[in-house]
Amino acid sequence: MPDVMLRHSFGTDGFALDVAFRAPAEGVTALFGPSGCGKSTILAAIAGLLRPREGRIALDGTVLLDTARGIAVAPERRRCAVVFQDARLFPHLSVETNLRYGLRRAPRDAEGPGVDEVVALLGIGHLLARRPGRLSGGERQRVALGRALLARPRLLLMDEPLAALDAARRAEVLPFLARLRDAACLPILYVTHALDEVDALADELVLIDAGRVVAAGPVEALTARTDLPLAGRRDAGVLLTCTVAEAAAGLTRLAFPGGMLTTTLHTGPAGTRVRLRLRARDIAVAIAEPRGLSTQNILPATLAGIMPSGDADEVFLSLALGPTTILARVTRVSVARLGLTPGMPLWALIKAVTFDHRAVPAHIADCDARLGR
Amino acid sequence: MLAPEEWQAVRLSLEVATRSVAVSLLPAIGVAWLLARRRFPGRALVDALVHLPLVVPPVVVGWGLLMLFGIRGPIGGPLHDWFGVRLVFTTEGAALATAVMSFPLIVRSVRLGIENVDQGLEAAARTLGAGPVDRFVTVTLPLMSPGILAGAVTAFAAGLGEFGAVITFASNIPGETQTLPLAIYSATQTPGGEATAARLALVSFTLAVSGLLLAEVIARRMHLWLGRG
């Protein structure tokens, strides 16, 4: 379990970094924040490529850095593999030699998937003999993922691995990232400023702004809070993990605790778990059960609270659907017109076509079972 | 086509140039590394010293070597007295003078080669478990090799024609220190030597041009090999 505390300052009156957080022993912890908030600096310090003024970094009880005790393990002995934004494949080596670079230097007793397994996982078998210069951006990044995983690291660090790619290449690589996350059984720290990557990949979220941790916790829990910078975004909304109940007639029915959603997603067979972002601005409410609407999802709910949205004319409605809470963004005028008060029974209206079609399978944390722990 | 003593001058030139590159290549790589990657006090001074042979007249460099490596010089004295090594007026001396003259050429080229190596790749190798020597051998050295090669070829080509420093330090002894340019000079000073001078000049020209072409071909192959093609 990575345990990180860092203090660093750039220049004399420059920007100061002061963060502390923990990440679970398995799955993706996203460090999310605007450009220049210090998240890449945190990653460089964990990898050992930057020496912070003050800090302590431990991994499963192994201290990698402790400035108070004068401990600083060299990067080459930290076993923290990095996937860089610009891939950084060695141009003079073939794809296969690149993949084996870290593996050849890993301790003999280090466990992890083999070359064939990783090659199959990332779909790069046809590239092995090529040089990195002859790969597309997406292929390069997939090879970089494989090279990092094959170094048999104890911690995978990803520094905006999709940021240098265009939308099509991002969509190509994202499912491979999800597969790697599920196969790796490792803690992964994932730096990004793209919310869709958080939605697709992250289990835990560390929100960073101006060098400080604003909030940290499970992604679903943080997206339901209206007091965080996340809520100020136009695409703010609750992340909901659902299970495919039925896929037929062009519609997929997704079950979640407290209800069922009808969508047009193509997510896979019944039983597949997916995570969806229910954007607050896409959800409307009615005080009586509406009739004659095209909207497929008309769900009974209870108004749990009315919260400011950061915009003077809009508020968030927190809606309880059984144990699940979702957010709807409506105007203050509507609140007054409908006389909305907490505790009222309401109907939540969600169009079936509103969901992002790039949803990737949700992470199932089952490493303990798979590795017999 | 060439008279035996003319062949001798050609062979000697090739030998002196080869030996000069062999002697100066490793120290040049070391100095280029220091100048490209390290910040230390006196770095500007080292930089200036390395470039001195480019700006000082070659005769002055030869005279400086004579002062240092002469039989009574501060370096040449002990070399002669303790090891019986004499550099002045020998083939080794000609190679030393040529090496000193071409040293800045190699340093400049190797340094450019090092500066072209993306340090991000070295950082990546580091996070993959490669220690300092491992990183240098598997990443930095292959990626800077075009710079090393270009430096060696340029120094070799320039070394074939080094005149001032060689004639001052090693003198003009046929079979010992009389390289191509010295032989051409001697021929022009000898009545009836015009034909010899012309033949040797042609050889000199051919060697230089083939050297450049060869360097071009190798550089192209190297870039392909490095995946930059």
Side-chain angles (χ1 to χ4, degrees), chain A residues 44-52 57 59 64-66 71-81 153-155, chain B residues 126-127 129:
Chain A
I46 296 171
L49 299 174
L50 174 141
R51 179 80 69 95
I57 298 167
L59 191 59
L64 300 180
L65 175 80
D66 191 340
I71 299 173
V73 176
E76 57 265 35
R77 284 194 294 275
R78 289 194 182 194
R79 296 185 56 205
C80 297
R154 290 187 299 189
L155 172 64
Chain B
R126 216 170 173 200
T127 62

Side-chain angles (χ1 to χ4, degrees), chain A residues 47 49 74-76 80-82 84 88-92 101-102 105 131 133 147-148 151, chain B residues 120-121 123-132 134-135 138-139 142-143 224-227:
Chain A
L49 299 174
E76 57 265 35
C80 297
V82 187
F84 298 93
R88 300 198 189 172
L89 300 178
F90 304 121
H92 58 299
Y101 193 91
R105 289 158 177 83
R131 286 293 179 77
R147 184 179 68 173
Chain B
L121 292 173
R126 216 170 173 200
T127 62
L128 292 167
D134 189 356
R135 284 202 294 281
T138 60
V139 177
L143 293 177
L224 278 178
W225 175 67
L226 290 174

Side-chain angles (χ1 to χ4, degrees), chain A residues 127-188:
Chain A
L127 307 174
L128 291 179
R130 287 199 215 166
R131 286 293 179 77
R134 301 252 181 265
L135 303 181
S136 73
E139 289 169 340
R140 240 173 254 167
Q141 212 50 283
R142 274 148 68 189
V143 174
L145 290 175
R147 184 179 68 173
L149 183 59
L150 280 169
R152 304 263 161 98
R154 290 187 299 189
L155 172 64
L156 256 180
L157 302 169
M158 303 207 185
D159 191 5
E160 309 210 32
L162 303 180
L165 304 178
D166 61 34
R169 298 284 88 74
R170 273 163 53 97
E172 168 204 321
V173 179
L174 199 56
F176 288 106
L177 267 167
R179 293 173 69 174
L180 181 139
R181 166 199 67 190
D182 297 342
C185 285
L186 281 172
I188 300 174

Side-chain angles (χ1 to χ4, degrees), chain A residues 25-362:
Chain A
E26 176 199 348
V28 174
T29 300
L31 305 182
F32 181 81
S35 301
C37 73
K39 51 195 193 304
S40 289
T41 306
I42 298 172
L43 223 59
I46 296 171
L49 299 174
L50 174 141
R51 179 80 69 95
R53 187 167 49 81
E54 203 182 320
R56 187 176 186 285
I57 298 167
L59 191 59
D60 299 325
T62 313
V63 177
L64 300 180
L65 175 80
D66 191 340
T67 49
R69 289 197 285 153
I71 299 173
V73 176
E76 57 265 35
R77 284 194 294 275
R78 289 194 182 194
R79 296 185 56 205
C80 297
V82 187
V83 178
F84 298 93
Q85 193 183 112
D86 50 351
R88 300 198 189 172
L89 300 178
F90 304 121
H92 58 299
L93 304 177
S94 70
V95 165
E96 182 167 6
T97 317
N98 265 284
L99 285 173
R100 291 181 187 274
Y101 193 91
L103 185 61
R104 280 175 50 196
R105 289 158 177 83
R108 265 162 208 274
D109 57 348
E111 289 173 15
V115 175
D116 296 341
E117 204 179 324
V118 170
V119 165
L121 180 82
L122 296 168
I124 48 180
H126 59 297
L127 307 174
L128 291 179
R130 287 199 215 166
R131 286 293 179 77
R134 301 252 181 265
L135 303 181
S136 73
E139 289 169 340
R140 240 173 254 167
Q141 212 50 283
R142 274 148 68 189
V143 174
L145 290 175
R147 184 179 68 173
L149 183 59
L150 280 169
R152 304 263 161 98
R154 290 187 299 189
L155 172 64
L156 256 180
L157 302 169
M158 303 207 185
D159 191 5
E160 309 210 32
L162 303 180
L165 304 178
D166 61 34
R169 298 284 88 74
R170 273 163 53 97
E172 168 204 321
V173 179
L174 199 56
F176 288 106
L177 267 167
R179 293 173 69 174
L180 181 139
R181 166 199 67 190
D182 297 342
C185 285
L186 281 172
I188 300 174
L189 291 183
Y190 190 101
V191 162
T192 184
H193 63 262
L195 200 56
D196 59 336
E197 292 168 28
V198 173
D199 290 0
L201 300 170
D203 302 294
E204 297 274 319
L205 188 55
V206 179
L207 279 178
I208 297 169
D209 195 21
R212 315 238 155 200
V213 175
V214 180
V219 183
E220 280 94 345
L222 292 193
T223 55
R225 280 173 60 178
T226 56
D227 59 332
L228 298 175
L230 282 179
R233 299 170 59 110
R234 294 310 296 172
D235 53 358
V238 171
L239 269 185
L240 194 60
T241 302
C242 309
T243 310
V244 176
E246 190 188 345
L251 294 177
T252 301
R253 310 238 314 140
L254 303 171
F256 64 92
M260 190 77 91
L261 281 172
T262 301
T263 71
T264 54
L265 297 176
H266 307 289
T267 50
T272 308
R273 283 156 57 84
V274 292
R275 192 157 62 177
L276 302 175
R277 174 168 288 269
L278 297 171
R279 280 182 296 263
R281 63 164 200 227
D282 290 345
I283 300 176
V285 295
I287 51 175
E289 183 168 7
R291 295 188 182 282
L293 281 184
S294 67
T295 307
Q296 295 262 9
N297 299 293
I298 300 176
L299 308 171
T302 307
L303 179 56
I306 302 174
M307 279 87 68
S309 72
D311 183 300
D313 302 321
E314 297 173 2
V315 293
F316 280 119
L317 303 179
S318 158
L319 305 172
L321 290 81
T324 301
T325 300
I326 65 171
L327 294 175
R329 192 195 282 264
V330 298
T331 59
R332 281 186 193 279
V333 174
S334 294
V335 172
R337 187 162 51 84
L338 298 176
L340 299 180
T341 51
M344 262 175 94
L346 286 176
W347 299 88
L349 279 54
I350 310 165
K351 294 174 62 156
V353 297
T354 188
F355 302 101
D356 201 328
H357 273 224
R358 281 176 305 168
V360 299

Side-chain angles (χ1 to χ4, degrees), chain B residues 116-130:
Chain B
N116 273 332
V117 176
D118 177 1
Q119 294 197 50
L121 292 173
E122 292 167 357
R126 216 170 173 200
T127 62
L128 292 167

